[in-house]
Amino acid sequence: MRHFHVVREHVRIAYARTEITVTDPELGEVAAADAAERYGPLWVITAHNPFSEKRSSAENEADHRRLVAELGDAGHELLPAVGASPDGRWSETSTAVIGLGRRRATKVGRAYGQNAVFEVTPSVQKVHGCFSTWVLARPACGPWEPAPFSDATLDEAIREAFGLELDLPFWRFRRPGWRYSGDPQIPCDLCGTDLDVFSALLQFKDGTWYDAKAIICQGCRTARIPSHLPAARRRAIYGWSDWHLTAQDALKHPTKGGEWHCYIAALDDPEGKRLWRDKEWVYVGQTGKDVDERFAEHKSGVRSNRFVRDFGTHLRGDLMADLPTHRTAAEALAYERYLAAQLELCGYGVKGGT
Ligand SMILES: [Zn+2]
């Protein structure tokens, strides 16, 4: 989980819109779905640009050769494949593995730093998350676009949720597709009222989809985009939104028998050398174990955070009373970040929570 990050809605959509072609020794270059008709389900994996960071083509090609050699050595049948955006502006050399299966495919994807891998059958193309379980399916043939959240403009959605009329300053607010997302319990920086979040999936002129958010304050009647909020509030809003997405994933794909909790440990550096004594300090973590057991581990140096090991005094039961239980590690990791951002907004010095 070292590289854990939440693959957000618009990134999943970009994956789902990918058009995959395969080079068949007899048929030549065909749509992956046509090859799947002939060979059965294909698992399409790339080694390019791990963690979506752009790399040189030499590095990408070297990793691609390593991937193909590794799968070939393991006895799998492979077809050369290419995944491209619908407008053809980007493409990635990939390999289509015949009948690999989800577990193996996502494991290989993880080993090559890929957020997702593809499964193609004659009728459906699915994207599978590699670092946490999520799936997005679309018909295998023809172009595909995601369904909008609603057909309401932002002012219609606000009127429906709160009966309020607001002056909306951005053109994106006037486009349809908005829905109320919820109240992340983050106070407005202008008036202290809890903020509300609305979301939409919108498209740039070039066809790329993005996650649009509107931050509404019913107190001072403002509508803002996240980049107009102070950084700590923006972090908290994205943390909350990521937690919601991972919680939805966890509902659809719970981890069998698992349960995760976040915890908050009080930190006290008596000399104030490493933790200034200008505020109260806490450490935020998450664990699949009992939280007291995990705290004891930190103190005895087992996979410990050095601040908890050296300065942890006790768990802050008072702050932990209302924390939810999580069904997957991904959900707990996302909540951990939201919790850390919330505590920072409350004036605590925060370690961990990343
Ligand atoms: Zn306000």
Side-chain angles (χ1 to χ4, degrees):
M1 281 286 176
R2 188 167 56 94
H3 282 283
F4 175 79
H5 70 273
V6 175
V7 180
R8 291 180 179 154
E9 200 96 19
H10 68 285
V11 181
R12 298 180 185 192
I13 290 168
Y15 275 111
R17 291 176 83 221
T18 302
E19 291 177 358
I20 302 168
T21 50
V22 161
T23 306
D24 181 272
E26 286 167 40
L27 304 175
E29 197 174 296
V30 293
D34 294 337
E37 186 95 58
R38 190 180 169 111
Y39 298 106
L42 299 178
W43 291 84
V44 181
I45 308 171
T46 183
H48 280 215
N49 305 319
F51 304 106
S52 302
E53 282 159 27
K54 204 116 190 74
R55 288 194 317 178
S56 73
S57 50
E59 282 175 302
N60 279 337
E61 283 311 314
D63 268 357
H64 175 70
R65 280 194 298 274
R66 193 159 63 85
L67 170 68
V68 168
E70 202 176 290
L71 288 166
D73 287 348
H76 295 292
E77 264 189 89
L78 311 175
L79 297 168
V82 174
S85 59
D87 61 8
R89 277 197 308 181
W90 64 262
S91 66
E92 282 179 342
T93 307
S94 307
T95 186
V97 194
I98 298 167
L100 188 63
R102 187 184 70 84
R103 266 173 177 280
R104 280 295 314 276
T106 52
K107 191 178 172 196
V108 173
R110 272 197 301 281
Y112 285 82
Q114 298 299 316
N115 287 323
V117 294
F118 297 92
E119 175 189 9
V120 187
T121 72
S123 58
V124 181
Q125 175 174 314
K126 289 184 184 174
V127 198
H128 294 266
C130 291
F131 288 91
S132 71
T133 309
W134 56 267
V135 181
L136 189 53
R138 57 164 282 190
C141 303
W144 171 86
E145 305 292 355
F149 291 155
S150 82
D151 53 14
T153 59
L154 181 59
D155 52 329
E156 288 166 345
I158 294 172
R159 211 177 305 134
E160 196 187 304
F162 309 128
L164 269 184
E165 296 284 344
L166 293 188
D167 186 27
L168 302 176
F170 298 100
W171 65 270
R172 70 174 71 156
F173 290 172
R174 292 182 203 116
R175 296 177 55 190
W178 291 90
R179 73 172 171 206
Y180 179 51
S181 289
D183 160 14
Q185 295 181 304
I186 298 162
C188 173
D189 49 307
L190 306 171
C191 76
T193 309
D194 272 358
L195 296 168
D196 287 294
V197 180
F198 287 74
S199 326
L201 287 172
L202 299 178
Q203 227 171 349
F204 289 120
K205 279 207 181 82
D206 71 1
T208 318
W209 290 85
Y210 67 99
D211 267 317
K213 290 199 190 313
I215 315 304
I216 305 299
C217 176
Q218 297 184 59
C220 58
R221 301 172 76 94
T222 47
R224 290 182 281 177
I225 55 176
S227 60
H228 287 187
L229 290 179
R233 277 176 176 72
R234 188 165 62 238
R235 263 206 311 283
I237 299 245
Y238 278 111
W240 172 81
S241 159
D242 285 347
W243 167 48
H244 269 238
L245 185 60
T246 54
Q248 278 170 31
D249 293 340
L251 259 184
K252 289 181 206 153
H253 316 279
T255 308
K256 279 191 196 98
E259 205 172 75
W260 282 259
H261 295 94
C262 287
Y263 58 91
I264 304 167
L267 304 176
D268 184 34
D269 174 6
E271 293 178 10
K273 280 187 182 157
R274 282 160 63 196
L275 299 173
W276 287 12
R277 299 191 67 80
D278 58 338
K279 53 186 156 193
E280 271 188 82
W281 287 89
V282 291
Y283 172 85
V284 178
Q286 57 79 33
T287 181
K289 299 181 175 179
D290 178 78
V291 292
D292 291 303
E293 193 185 321
R294 182 68 189 107
F295 181 69
E297 279 188 352
H298 277 296
K299 292 309 290 179
S300 59
V302 180
R303 294 178 298 109
S304 57
N305 172 277
R306 61 202 164 91
F307 287 103
V308 189
R309 186 194 59 204
D310 298 347
F311 304 128
T313 55
H314 60 283
L315 289 178
R316 286 288 301 261
D318 56 326
L319 298 175
M320 290 164 58
D322 296 323
L323 297 186
T325 299
H326 307 288
R327 286 150 293 203
T328 62
E331 188 188 343
L333 283 159
Y335 189 83
E336 181 189 15
R337 286 182 200 167
Y338 166 49
L339 182 59
Q342 265 188 324
L343 288 165
E344 236 170 86
L345 281 174
C346 291
Y348 289 96
V350 180
K351 294 289 177 188
T354 51

